[in-house]
Amino acid sequence: MIKSLVGGIVAATAFVMLSSSALAEPEIVTGPSAEPDCFAPWAADTQFFKFPKKEGPYRVALANGYIANTWRIQMVQTAKAYAAQPEVAAKLKEFKVVSTGEDVPAQISAINNFIDSGYDAIVVNAQNPTAFGPVIKRAKEAGVVLVAFDNILDTKDAINVNVDQKGLGELWGNWLIKHIPNGGKILEVRGVAGTSVDTDRHNGIHEVFDASGKKWEVTEVIGKWDDGVAQKASADAIATNGPFDGVTGQGGDTGIVQAMIDAKHPFVPFGGETENGFRKFCAKFAADGLKCSSAGTGPAQVAVAIKTAIAALEGQVVPQAVKLPLAIVEDPNFKEGEDYFPDQSDNFFVGNSFPTCGINFTAQEIMGQSKENQ
């Protein structure tokens, strides 16, 4: 009798646990999303999630990986600035930030720790798109909303928020073809190896080059989206393989232009990111041959990721993959005080507003935050 009773309790407990797990998973529903202008689906066949509503305030964590460049530092600062805004702070019981470097297992461990600690949602800038399978499963089973942004996750069991990174590479490739129509020598300064952003942008550039039917001799170097690293890598490439007919850089573009200046390399067409210093150079030296396409998305996309996580916790309908707009300015349309800011740091990334999401930051609001873990 006792054995039977114990068995019944165990079975009942297991049933409750299974039921709770099932209830924690999102329901697949039809769109549109709760804020269709902000939470735009990636494609026509993108699924829509509706998580079970949780009562706030919420515990939300940012699990960042690589931190040693300006974009990532500004991203962490922007996340803190967004969490501190009164209407957002009212929905948060706790906001935690951890940066783990380029060590993928360390980032996975941080996410596991947040799950074990009972956080409601985790936003992540992933060091590797395919290495997170087990922790994605754990988050799903625990009812934790997992939102990846920028460097996203290769899964449909988490929410991804991003711009079309491959399309950005295609845009840069097409810019160079437009200005170097017969092909030529290109310096390609890549980002952080192994990340989805670096891979997608690289593939976009080369697919456009391959389709052009022209001959392209591409020298690839690793710049890690960092001015100092990119400047040294570019200087070395110019010394050994230059001169080049065109340049494309995923980040660290201010440093790349500075390497050209230091080496007295002629200014050439350049497809690059949205750093303020790069745009200053593009405006200043346009007449000397530095014809630029400056495009990307500012670090404020982390704010859209946090907003998406909170919306999901509130039981609102959100797409499994959210597509953000690119911020694009091209020669000859660089306007002082609008597209670049002479009084701001060269390292500041421009394009930190998403008006359709009600997200906009001043430079002072972002730069007033620290990059440290909290």
Side-chain angles (χ1 to χ4, degrees):
M1 177 69 178
I2 293 175
K3 183 177 180 180
S4 175
L5 180 60
V6 170
I9 292 172
V10 171
T13 302
F15 175 77
V16 170
M17 291 176 66
L18 287 171
S19 298
S20 298
S21 174
L23 288 171
E25 295 182 10
E27 180 185 359
I28 306 299
V29 298
T30 57
S33 57
E35 297 183 43
D37 290 337
C38 177
F39 305 133
W42 188 267
D45 61 352
T46 297
Q47 293 181 327
F48 290 84
F49 286 168
K50 190 176 191 302
F51 285 80
K53 182 178 179 180
K54 283 189 176 183
E55 294 301 320
Y58 306 112
R59 299 176 71 206
V60 177
L62 166 60
N64 180 45
Y66 187 70
I67 188 64
N69 67 26
T70 303
W71 196 99
R72 290 295 183 101
I73 291 169
Q74 189 176 325
M75 179 272 291
V76 169
Q77 293 172 312
T78 304
K80 292 180 179 180
Y82 183 66
Q85 292 183 342
E87 64 275 17
V88 180
K91 298 181 178 183
L92 298 176
K93 181 178 180 180
E94 181 181 0
F95 182 66
K96 185 80 171 179
V97 177
V98 170
S99 296
T100 55
E102 294 183 69
D103 186 340
V104 174
Q107 189 177 30
I108 292 171
S109 178
I111 297 171
N112 273 316
N113 288 338
F114 286 133
I115 294 171
D116 292 339
S117 299
Y119 278 77
D120 300 300
I122 303 166
V123 294
V124 56
N125 195 326
Q127 281 302 114
N128 183 290
T130 60
F132 289 73
V135 77
I136 293 169
K137 184 174 184 291
R138 284 202 69 215
K140 183 177 180 180
E141 291 174 347
V144 176
V145 175
L146 186 62
V147 180
F149 69 98
D150 187 35
N151 288 288
I152 56 174
L153 296 168
D154 187 13
T155 182
K156 291 190 176 180
D157 286 329
I159 300 170
N160 285 320
V161 175
N162 206 2
V163 300
D164 184 355
Q165 302 287 1
K166 185 177 179 183
L168 181 54
E170 292 170 350
L171 182 147
W172 291 333
N174 281 316
W175 179 259
L176 294 176
I177 290 171
K178 176 181 176 181
H179 290 85
I180 315 168
N182 297 318
K185 292 178 64 176
I186 303 297
L187 172 61
E188 179 189 0
V189 183
R190 300 187 61 172
V192 175
T195 58
S196 65
V197 168
D198 174 71
T199 300
D200 290 348
R201 291 178 176 185
H202 170 76
N203 289 343
I205 292 165
H206 284 266
E207 286 184 16
V208 167
F209 281 171
D210 292 345
S212 71
K214 303 298 180 182
K215 183 178 179 181
W216 302 95
E217 182 182 338
V218 181
T219 296
E220 296 179 27
V221 297
I222 301 298
K224 292 191 171 183
W225 305 316
D226 177 77
D227 279 337
V229 177
Q231 182 172 340
K232 185 179 185 307
S234 299
D236 291 344
I238 290 169
T240 56
N241 288 19
F244 297 99
D245 301 305
V247 177
T248 180
Q250 295 191 20
D253 300 331
T254 309
I256 299 170
V257 178
Q258 189 61 55
M260 295 169 66
I261 294 171
D262 293 344
K264 296 181 171 53
H265 187 288
F267 288 120
V268 294
F270 195 135
E273 251 280 0
T274 63
E275 299 104 317
N276 192 45
F278 174 56
R279 289 187 171 186
K280 289 181 190 178
F281 278 143
C282 292
K284 181 177 181 180
F285 295 116
D288 300 315
L290 188 63
K291 303 296 184 183
C292 300
S293 174
S294 173
T297 180
Q301 63 176 282
V302 68
V304 182
I306 297 169
K307 180 181 176 74
T308 305
I310 293 172
L313 290 169
E314 292 176 333
Q316 299 182 39
V317 175
V318 295
Q320 183 272 321
V322 177
K323 189 172 187 178
L324 300 177
L326 286 170
I328 305 171
V329 183
E330 296 181 333
D331 181 81
N333 298 316
F334 290 92
K335 297 182 178 63
E336 181 178 329
E338 181 177 332
D339 302 311
Y340 67 96
F341 302 88
D343 296 334
Q344 294 298 330
S345 166
D346 286 350
N347 294 329
F348 187 77
F349 278 79
V350 185
N352 281 296
S353 66
F354 291 96
T356 55
C357 295
I359 291 172
N360 190 29
F361 297 95
T362 64
Q364 293 78 11
E365 190 177 5
I366 294 171
M367 304 309 279
Q369 301 291 333
S370 75
K371 68 176 183 179
E372 308 303 329
N373 291 346
Q374 71 175 32

